[in-house]
Amino acid sequence: MNIVQGLLGAISPLPDGDLSDRLNYAYTTTVLVISSAFITGWSFVGTPIQCWFPAYYKGWWIEYALDYCYVQNTYFLGFTEVKPNNYWDIAEHIIPIPKNVTERDEKQIGYYQWVPFILALQALMFFFPVVLWRSIYNSSGMKVKAICETCSLKANMDPTDRSKNMNVIAKFLTYEYEISDHVGAKLRRFLKGNYLTTAYILVKAVFALNAVVQFFMVKYMLGTSSIFWGLEVANDLVAGREWQETGNFPRVTMCDFAVRVLGNLHRHTVQCVLMINMFNEKIFVFLWFWLAAVAVCSLISFIYWTTTSFVKTKSTHMVSNYLEKIDPTTAQSPRRKALVRRFIDEKLRNDGVFLLRLVASNGGDMVACDLVSQLWNDFVAESARRSDIERPLLKGPVEEEDDF
């Protein structure tokens, strides 16, 4: 239990991504860890399998057979070909046990032993992209986590605190780091202000690809033929078609094992109850719908961030909207519009706009607007010191002759 609590504490959501990211690495991983822990506990504490044995099975025979049947794959065999109308004609529809060993092997189910490990592997796969993302931005020198936490709505409820925070973040964002000799710095120079943006889009692609791959991973493990098996199983349950008819997560299976007695090999067949499949059915049907929702959200998020990050008009429109809220005159003067373009191209660049969009998704438009205001004022003041403009003012009316 302490291990599970430690894992859940390590995957707590942080404001260094959007809701889709947190849905993947935090919420989905939590669901998978809890499911894996539950199945693991039931497998070792409860009785995942029980078998019906003849009367001459005694003591260690039973223990051996139970362990063997749980470790080795069992196979499902329906009781009747069709659901009988009454018990008087049930003998006419009984399905006999195949005499051919190959036919029995074709009906084997071998996933129930591996469910805890599969769920744990899925949890790791969902958590890996955020580890990759945090490693990338930490190596870049841009503390995305610290910026987003400082710009969170909770930390900026008080106007005075918000003003101080925006001032600190604005200085941090505009700070020019010295280029070192390590690979990350060379890559950042090559990408020219697109390092964080490109890395985040690639991580988004990994999130989306991982969510899609999970469907095929579970499908292969369960041995189903359709990618929509979850929907089909749910429809069977709603229609009242139980596992006896469909074979979905069967509770009763057959187990074959051999025992050497006085040099002779005796084959035994026993009927077993897989109680663990009662829980596997509910868990995997729920996970199918959950993974479907996560995959759709991840794909939409990937398309959204790719479009907004690399389509220049989207970035210009976002920053211009914030500036118009601060000072409507920015949309009226051609020279002021040119200054806005310089502000986006030279000062913010793609990475700066990306961080503004990330701040807005975590802290809200009010915080993002204040941050843009601080960055803009600093930029205009710096331009004035370089004699680029005569009287740079963000607030207040603008004189006609200044053309601002």
Side-chain angles (χ1 to χ4, degrees), residues 12-33:
S12 57
L14 296 176
D16 55 355
D18 63 358
L19 180 60
S20 174
D21 298 341
R22 293 188 285 274
L23 182 62
N24 277 270
Y25 76 82
Y27 306 130
T28 303
T29 303
T30 299
V31 170
L32 292 169
V33 168

mmCIF file of all heavy atoms in Angstrom, residues 12-33:
data_model
loop_
_atom_site.group_PDB
_atom_site.id
_atom_site.type_symbol
_atom_site.label_atom_id
_atom_site.label_comp_id
_atom_site.label_asym_id
_atom_site.label_seq_id
_atom_site.Cartn_x
_atom_site.Cartn_y
_atom_site.Cartn_z
ATOM 1 N N SER A 12 1.271 13.176 -9.492
ATOM 2 C CA SER A 12 0.315 14.254 -9.281
ATOM 3 C C SER A 12 0.416 15.265 -10.421
ATOM 4 O O SER A 12 1.508 15.538 -10.931
ATOM 5 C CB SER A 12 0.579 14.952 -7.943
ATOM 6 O OG SER A 12 1.900 15.443 -7.892
ATOM 7 N N PRO A 13 -0.712 15.829 -10.857
ATOM 8 C CA PRO A 13 -0.695 16.755 -11.994
ATOM 9 C C PRO A 13 0.020 18.059 -11.676
ATOM 10 O O PRO A 13 -0.108 18.602 -10.579
ATOM 11 C CB PRO A 13 -2.192 16.997 -12.270
ATOM 12 C CG PRO A 13 -2.876 16.688 -10.983
ATOM 13 C CD PRO A 13 -2.070 15.603 -10.333
ATOM 14 N N LEU A 14 0.781 18.556 -12.643
ATOM 15 C CA LEU A 14 1.514 19.819 -12.514
ATOM 16 C C LEU A 14 1.134 20.736 -13.672
ATOM 17 O O LEU A 14 0.764 20.266 -14.759
ATOM 18 C CB LEU A 14 3.031 19.566 -12.519
ATOM 19 C CG LEU A 14 3.591 18.746 -11.349
ATOM 20 C CD1 LEU A 14 5.077 18.499 -11.572
ATOM 21 C CD2 LEU A 14 3.361 19.451 -10.032
ATOM 22 N N PRO A 15 1.231 22.061 -13.479
ATOM 23 C CA PRO A 15 0.815 23.003 -14.523
ATOM 24 C C PRO A 15 1.873 23.252 -15.587
ATOM 25 O O PRO A 15 2.150 24.397 -15.948
ATOM 26 C CB PRO A 15 0.529 24.275 -13.713
ATOM 27 C CG PRO A 15 1.485 24.213 -12.578
ATOM 28 C CD PRO A 15 1.597 22.756 -12.221
ATOM 29 N N ASP A 16 2.492 22.197 -16.111
ATOM 30 C CA ASP A 16 3.483 22.367 -17.173
ATOM 31 C C ASP A 16 2.982 21.797 -18.497
ATOM 32 O O ASP A 16 3.766 21.488 -19.388
ATOM 33 C CB ASP A 16 4.817 21.724 -16.790
ATOM 34 C CG ASP A 16 4.666 20.254 -16.420
ATOM 35 O OD1 ASP A 16 3.519 19.765 -16.374
ATOM 36 O OD2 ASP A 16 5.692 19.600 -16.165
ATOM 37 N N GLY A 17 1.686 21.664 -18.604
ATOM 38 C CA GLY A 17 1.049 21.178 -19.822
ATOM 39 C C GLY A 17 -0.418 21.566 -19.796
ATOM 40 O O GLY A 17 -0.858 22.331 -18.943
ATOM 41 N N ASP A 18 -1.179 21.010 -20.723
ATOM 42 C CA ASP A 18 -2.599 21.316 -20.744
ATOM 43 C C ASP A 18 -3.403 20.173 -20.134
ATOM 44 O O ASP A 18 -2.851 19.198 -19.616
ATOM 45 C CB ASP A 18 -3.068 21.619 -22.166
ATOM 46 C CG ASP A 18 -2.913 20.410 -23.089
ATOM 47 O OD1 ASP A 18 -2.413 19.362 -22.634
ATOM 48 O OD2 ASP A 18 -3.293 20.519 -24.275
ATOM 49 N N LEU A 19 -4.730 20.273 -20.195
ATOM 50 C CA LEU A 19 -5.609 19.269 -19.596
ATOM 51 C C LEU A 19 -5.431 17.909 -20.237
ATOM 52 O O LEU A 19 -5.486 16.877 -19.563
ATOM 53 C CB LEU A 19 -7.071 19.722 -19.728
ATOM 54 C CG LEU A 19 -8.130 18.773 -19.154
ATOM 55 C CD1 LEU A 19 -7.911 18.546 -17.666
ATOM 56 C CD2 LEU A 19 -9.536 19.305 -19.427
ATOM 57 N N SER A 20 -5.187 17.882 -21.538
ATOM 58 C CA SER A 20 -4.976 16.605 -22.226
ATOM 59 C C SER A 20 -3.739 15.889 -21.692
ATOM 60 O O SER A 20 -3.748 14.665 -21.522
ATOM 61 C CB SER A 20 -4.831 16.848 -23.733
ATOM 62 O OG SER A 20 -4.494 15.653 -24.406
ATOM 63 N N ASP A 21 -2.668 16.642 -21.431
ATOM 64 C CA ASP A 21 -1.465 16.032 -20.859
ATOM 65 C C ASP A 21 -1.751 15.424 -19.497
ATOM 66 O O ASP A 21 -1.344 14.289 -19.210
ATOM 67 C CB ASP A 21 -0.358 17.082 -20.725
ATOM 68 C CG ASP A 21 0.048 17.664 -22.058
ATOM 69 O OD1 ASP A 21 -0.236 17.031 -23.084
ATOM 70 O OD2 ASP A 21 0.637 18.753 -22.073
ATOM 71 N N ARG A 22 -2.444 16.171 -18.656
ATOM 72 C CA ARG A 22 -2.757 15.672 -17.314
ATOM 73 C C ARG A 22 -3.697 14.470 -17.374
ATOM 74 O O ARG A 22 -3.608 13.564 -16.544
ATOM 75 C CB ARG A 22 -3.350 16.791 -16.467
ATOM 76 C CG ARG A 22 -2.351 17.900 -16.152
ATOM 77 C CD ARG A 22 -2.913 18.895 -15.160
ATOM 78 N NE ARG A 22 -3.900 19.774 -15.771
ATOM 79 C CZ ARG A 22 -3.602 20.897 -16.403
ATOM 80 N NH1 ARG A 22 -2.334 21.270 -16.533
ATOM 81 N NH2 ARG A 22 -4.560 21.658 -16.910
ATOM 82 N N LEU A 23 -4.592 14.460 -18.357
ATOM 83 C CA LEU A 23 -5.474 13.307 -18.536
ATOM 84 C C LEU A 23 -4.663 12.058 -18.856
ATOM 85 O O LEU A 23 -5.020 10.950 -18.425
ATOM 86 C CB LEU A 23 -6.465 13.597 -19.674
ATOM 87 C CG LEU A 23 -7.508 12.517 -19.979
ATOM 88 C CD1 LEU A 23 -8.419 12.284 -18.788
ATOM 89 C CD2 LEU A 23 -8.317 12.890 -21.210
ATOM 90 N N ASN A 24 -3.581 12.218 -19.595
ATOM 91 C CA ASN A 24 -2.733 11.083 -19.956
ATOM 92 C C ASN A 24 -1.863 10.628 -18.787
ATOM 93 O O ASN A 24 -1.975 9.487 -18.321
ATOM 94 C CB ASN A 24 -1.849 11.451 -21.149
ATOM 95 C CG ASN A 24 -2.537 11.292 -22.480
ATOM 96 O OD1 ASN A 24 -2.483 10.230 -23.092
ATOM 97 N ND2 ASN A 24 -3.198 12.342 -22.933
ATOM 98 N N TYR A 25 -0.972 11.522 -18.334
ATOM 99 C CA TYR A 25 0.064 11.067 -17.401
ATOM 100 C C TYR A 25 -0.396 11.021 -15.951
ATOM 101 O O TYR A 25 0.202 10.290 -15.145
ATOM 102 C CB TYR A 25 1.311 11.944 -17.523
ATOM 103 C CG TYR A 25 1.226 13.312 -16.874
ATOM 104 C CD1 TYR A 25 1.450 13.472 -15.512
ATOM 105 C CD2 TYR A 25 0.945 14.444 -17.619
ATOM 106 C CE1 TYR A 25 1.387 14.728 -14.911
ATOM 107 C CE2 TYR A 25 0.884 15.696 -17.039
ATOM 108 C CZ TYR A 25 1.108 15.821 -15.684
ATOM 109 O OH TYR A 25 1.047 17.064 -15.090
ATOM 110 N N ALA A 26 -1.430 11.778 -15.588
ATOM 111 C CA ALA A 26 -1.864 11.806 -14.186
ATOM 112 C C ALA A 26 -3.092 10.931 -13.961
ATOM 113 O O ALA A 26 -3.043 9.946 -13.211
ATOM 114 C CB ALA A 26 -2.147 13.242 -13.744
ATOM 115 N N TYR A 27 -4.191 11.251 -14.622
ATOM 116 C CA TYR A 27 -5.456 10.569 -14.343
ATOM 117 C C TYR A 27 -5.469 9.141 -14.894
ATOM 118 O O TYR A 27 -5.884 8.208 -14.202
ATOM 119 C CB TYR A 27 -6.617 11.382 -14.910
ATOM 120 C CG TYR A 27 -6.610 12.814 -14.431
ATOM 121 C CD1 TYR A 27 -6.726 13.882 -15.319
ATOM 122 C CD2 TYR A 27 -6.450 13.126 -13.083
ATOM 123 C CE1 TYR A 27 -6.696 15.194 -14.886
ATOM 124 C CE2 TYR A 27 -6.421 14.435 -12.641
ATOM 125 C CZ TYR A 27 -6.549 15.465 -13.551
ATOM 126 O OH TYR A 27 -6.506 16.767 -13.117
ATOM 127 N N THR A 28 -5.004 8.971 -16.136
ATOM 128 C CA THR A 28 -4.983 7.618 -16.709
ATOM 129 C C THR A 28 -3.989 6.726 -15.979
ATOM 130 O O THR A 28 -4.277 5.558 -15.700
ATOM 131 C CB THR A 28 -4.633 7.681 -18.207
ATOM 132 O OG1 THR A 28 -5.575 8.518 -18.877
ATOM 133 C CG2 THR A 28 -4.673 6.293 -18.824
ATOM 134 N N THR A 29 -2.827 7.270 -15.673
ATOM 135 C CA THR A 29 -1.844 6.484 -14.925
ATOM 136 C C THR A 29 -2.376 6.100 -13.550
ATOM 137 O O THR A 29 -2.153 4.974 -13.079
ATOM 138 C CB THR A 29 -0.534 7.285 -14.773
ATOM 139 O OG1 THR A 29 -0.053 7.650 -16.071
ATOM 140 C CG2 THR A 29 0.527 6.462 -14.063
ATOM 141 N N THR A 30 -3.101 6.999 -12.900
ATOM 142 C CA THR A 30 -3.692 6.683 -11.596
ATOM 143 C C THR A 30 -4.691 5.538 -11.708
ATOM 144 O O THR A 30 -4.689 4.601 -10.893
ATOM 145 C CB THR A 30 -4.390 7.926 -11.020
ATOM 146 O OG1 THR A 30 -3.431 8.967 -10.849
ATOM 147 C CG2 THR A 30 -5.029 7.617 -9.674
ATOM 148 N N VAL A 31 -5.549 5.597 -12.725
ATOM 149 C CA VAL A 31 -6.529 4.524 -12.934
ATOM 150 C C VAL A 31 -5.830 3.187 -13.158
ATOM 151 O O VAL A 31 -6.222 2.147 -12.591
ATOM 152 C CB VAL A 31 -7.440 4.876 -14.130
ATOM 153 C CG1 VAL A 31 -8.302 3.682 -14.528
ATOM 154 C CG2 VAL A 31 -8.343 6.056 -13.783
ATOM 155 N N LEU A 32 -4.781 3.188 -13.961
ATOM 156 C CA LEU A 32 -4.068 1.944 -14.276
ATOM 157 C C LEU A 32 -3.316 1.401 -13.063
ATOM 158 O O LEU A 32 -3.292 0.188 -12.834
ATOM 159 C CB LEU A 32 -3.106 2.183 -15.438
ATOM 160 C CG LEU A 32 -3.761 2.454 -16.796
ATOM 161 C CD1 LEU A 32 -2.727 2.932 -17.802
ATOM 162 C CD2 LEU A 32 -4.456 1.200 -17.305
ATOM 163 N N VAL A 33 -2.699 2.278 -12.281
ATOM 164 C CA VAL A 33 -1.971 1.825 -11.083
ATOM 165 C C VAL A 33 -2.931 1.221 -10.067
ATOM 166 O O VAL A 33 -2.664 0.155 -9.491
ATOM 167 C CB VAL A 33 -1.194 3.002 -10.457
ATOM 168 C CG1 VAL A 33 -0.670 2.628 -9.071
ATOM 169 C CG2 VAL A 33 -0.022 3.399 -11.349
#
